[in-house]
Amino acid sequence: MRTQVVIIGAGPAGLLLGQLLCRHGIDNIILERHTGAYVLGRVRAGVIEQVTIGLLDEAGVGARMHEDGLVHDGVQICVDGVRHRISFKELTGKTVMVYGQTEITKDLMDGRAALGAPTVYAAQDVALHDIFADRPRVTYRAGGEAHEIVCDFIAGCDGFHGVSRTSVPPDTLTTHERVYPLGWLGILCDTPPVSEELIYVRHRLGFALCSMRSPRRSRYYLQCSLAEDIEAWPDERFWQELRPRLDEEARHRLVTGPSIEKSIAPLRSFVAEPMRFGRLFLAGDAAHIVPPTGAKGLNLAASDVRYLSRALIEHYAEKSDAGLAHYSERALARVWKAERFSWWMTTTLHRLSDNPFDQKLQLAELDYLFRSKAAATVFAENYVGLPY
Ligand code: FAD
Ligand code: DHB
């Protein structure tokens, strides 16, 4: 087989890239290890930046998001039972949208099906070849048969555990990593959210987050240890641990109910540099991971795709490789700022140590955030998404 771009991975990065390329007449094939149902079953991100909204619109898949997504003008932060609000609208003129990754993935899958673009689900043993040559190849197995695709470029959109990053010569790659000694235990529940806006909770018992997917569906997270066994967390225990971390009003408004999903996600900061190796370009979680605090993971995947799609369109339409040459540098400049913000939110809101000095520093950071318009503006600018 022959195509212009092979995209490895049908997560948000791969599907969005595929959609943008198709709309500019650039042929692409997506290879995904799992089934479509499995990809759609993963509950992950919930908050999207305006630039991500713009990109989904550009990809022609924004209609349902504008219909069902919830526009949020601000966010609440609760510190040891006292709630504060930061207004994005007042400080930056911008807002964010609450719309689940599952829904975005579905919209992108439907959009791809409408264009008739090929996706191979359940592709096994995907392998990259000749990435530094003019005609790289990708091989895989599907339906018991071996296949080979010759292409111009490979987009590695296969997430943190994918094959793309690990296919490059080790001496061409530098990685930077911080692993936090904790995870997020998340539940999804068909109950009304506790508040109209998200509440990030800093409490001496540990971090919590009250989020949502719709006016009838809530998403809650609790800081947990990495060794935690999900079987040890019946719903009742989750509510018992969440309630005392909330302020009084939220405790009264909290509606509990049976969970419809429950999972644990580890917290990690990770960056691989560069993001280009010959004709292989990494995008999204394949190149970098942020801890979820601040909701930057999906948005960063979208910003990589914005740079990469424009560079590929420029290559084919204008015969210019300037965008491709600058891709890694441009993407990483934005990635590191999101790494900084997610690290800051994580270390400021979680219980990471029993050292009273660390705890006093957290409280000083937060007190400054609530008292200084400059500090609140820095927070709001980062939360709504930095400009490209
Ligand atoms: P992914 O979504 O990981 O997609 C990669 C795709 O590649 C997957 O479908 C995978 O099956 C496929 N793949 C992997 N290996 C291969 C292979 N060898 N061959 C073919 N295909 C392959 N972000 C937030 O902003 N807020 C959150 O609350 C949040 N929660 C998260 C919870 C969890 C458990 C995880 C793992 C991530 C969470 N994130 C969150 C991060 C966010 O979901 C990711 O940043 C986002 O999914 C990145 O998209 P992606 O397309 O780059 O990677
Ligand atoms: C959600 C996840 C996040 O990481 C975050 O910072 C805000 C919201 C969510 O899943 O709703």
Side-chain angles (χ1 to χ4, degrees), residues 44-47 184 198 200 209 211 213 219 221 292-295 383:
R44 291 179 169 182
V47 177
W184 276 18
L198 267 61
Y200 287 89
L209 170 60
S211 183
R213 289 292 176 271
R219 177 83 168 148
Y221 295 98
T293 339
Y383 197 95

Side-chain angles (χ1 to χ4, degrees), residues 99-175:
Y99 189 63
Q101 179 167 334
T102 318
E103 306 307 318
I104 293 175
T105 307
K106 183 174 184 311
D107 295 343
L108 285 164
M109 281 179 173
D110 291 349
R112 191 165 177 86
L115 295 178
T119 309
V120 181
Y121 284 101
Q124 301 302 303
D125 302 336
V126 171
L128 295 73
H129 310 274
D130 306 332
I131 58 171
F132 291 99
D134 283 350
R135 289 283 169 271
R137 292 174 300 122
V138 180
T139 54
Y140 64 98
R141 280 191 314 107
E145 282 180 34
H147 300 268
E148 178 181 90
I149 314 176
V150 179
C151 57
D152 300 335
F153 299 103
I154 303 172
C157 302
D158 47 352
F160 184 66
H161 299 288
V163 66
S164 301
R165 194 183 63 251
T166 53
S167 299
V168 308
D171 59 346
T172 60
L173 183 81
T174 304
T175 58

Side-chain angles (χ1 to χ4, degrees), residues 76 78 81-84 193-197 199 210 220 243 245-255:
Q76 321 232 339
C78 182
V82 181
R83 226 195 289 176
H84 305 260
V194 77
S195 148
E196 260 97 73
E197 293 180 336
I199 313 177
C210 307
Y220 294 100
R243 202 174 269 110
R245 299 182 197 195
L246 305 179
D247 58 279
E248 213 176 308
E249 187 191 341
R251 274 202 298 271
H252 281 299
R253 287 190 56 175
L254 179 68
V255 183

Side-chain angles (χ1 to χ4, degrees), residues 248-277:
E248 213 176 308
E249 187 191 341
R251 274 202 298 271
H252 281 299
R253 287 190 56 175
L254 179 68
V255 183
T256 62
S259 63
I260 50 176
E261 194 267 353
K262 196 183 285 164
S263 54
I264 294 178
L267 268 60
R268 180 195 301 270
S269 300
F270 174 88
V271 182
E273 295 182 327
M275 289 170 62
R276 177 196 185 163
F277 306 86

Side-chain angles (χ1 to χ4, degrees), residues 12-326:
L15 287 167
L16 182 57
L17 178 65
Q19 197 70 7
L20 292 166
L21 295 183
C22 285
R23 287 174 75 92
H24 284 83
I26 301 171
D27 290 341
N28 60 85
I29 299 176
I30 299 185
L31 302 178
E32 164 59 49
R33 176 164 57 183
H34 290 292
T35 63
Y38 179 92
V39 172
L40 270 178
R42 297 186 295 214
V43 178
R44 291 179 169 182
V47 177
I48 52 177
E49 299 171 0
Q50 269 179 16
V51 277
T52 307
I53 297 171
L55 213 54
L56 291 163
D57 282 334
E58 201 180 307
V61 297
R64 211 165 59 96
M65 167 183 72
H66 289 292
E67 190 100 332
D68 295 346
L70 307 171
V71 175
H72 283 203
D73 292 351
V75 73
Q76 321 232 339
I77 301 180
C78 182
V79 179
D80 295 325
V82 181
R83 226 195 289 176
H84 305 260
R85 177 170 192 267
I86 294 185
S87 168
F88 307 140
K89 194 78 180 271
E90 277 168 29
L91 295 164
T92 68
K94 294 182 182 163
T95 58
V96 293
M97 171 101 74
V98 172
Y99 189 63
Q101 179 167 334
T102 318
E103 306 307 318
I104 293 175
T105 307
K106 183 174 184 311
D107 295 343
L108 285 164
M109 281 179 173
D110 291 349
R112 191 165 177 86
L115 295 178
T119 309
V120 181
Y121 284 101
Q124 301 302 303
D125 302 336
V126 171
L128 295 73
H129 310 274
D130 306 332
I131 58 171
F132 291 99
D134 283 350
R135 289 283 169 271
R137 292 174 300 122
V138 180
T139 54
Y140 64 98
R141 280 191 314 107
E145 282 180 34
H147 300 268
E148 178 181 90
I149 314 176
V150 179
C151 57
D152 300 335
F153 299 103
I154 303 172
C157 302
D158 47 352
F160 184 66
H161 299 288
V163 66
S164 301
R165 194 183 63 251
T166 53
S167 299
V168 308
D171 59 346
T172 60
L173 183 81
T174 304
T175 58
H176 307 274
E177 186 167 35
R178 173 148 308 175
V179 177
Y180 305 87
L182 48 94
W184 276 18
L185 171 64
I187 65 167
L188 193 65
C189 204
D190 276 333
T191 55
V194 77
S195 148
E196 260 97 73
E197 293 180 336
L198 267 61
I199 313 177
Y200 287 89
V201 181
R202 187 267 178 204
H203 194 276
R204 58 188 169 73
L205 294 172
F207 170 84
L209 170 60
C210 307
S211 183
M212 66 196 73
R213 289 292 176 271
S214 77
R216 290 162 308 281
R217 182 168 285 187
S218 306
R219 177 83 168 148
Y220 294 100
Y221 295 98
L222 283 179
Q223 167 180 350
C224 68
S225 89
L226 272 180
E228 212 62 69
D229 173 11
I230 199 130
E231 298 303 322
W233 282 88
D235 294 347
E236 207 38 55
R237 180 170 174 211
F238 188 95
W239 303 120
Q240 267 170 21
E241 295 271 346
L242 175 67
R243 202 174 269 110
R245 299 182 197 195
L246 305 179
D247 58 279
E248 213 176 308
E249 187 191 341
R251 274 202 298 271
H252 281 299
R253 287 190 56 175
L254 179 68
V255 183
T256 62
S259 63
I260 50 176
E261 194 267 353
K262 196 183 285 164
S263 54
I264 294 178
L267 268 60
R268 180 195 301 270
S269 300
F270 174 88
V271 182
E273 295 182 327
M275 289 170 62
R276 177 196 185 163
F277 306 86
R279 288 180 170 260
L280 166 66
F281 294 82
L282 301 180
D285 279 15
H288 41 75
I289 295 284
V290 287
T293 339
K296 289 285 160 246
L298 173 60
N299 292 297
L300 269 191
S303 68
D304 290 351
V305 164
R306 184 176 183 275
Y307 293 123
L308 184 55
S309 59
R310 277 163 175 58
L312 289 167
I313 292 162
E314 195 180 286
H315 169 88
Y316 287 108
E318 296 167 26
K319 310 242 175 302
S320 161
D321 283 346
L324 292 174
H326 289 117

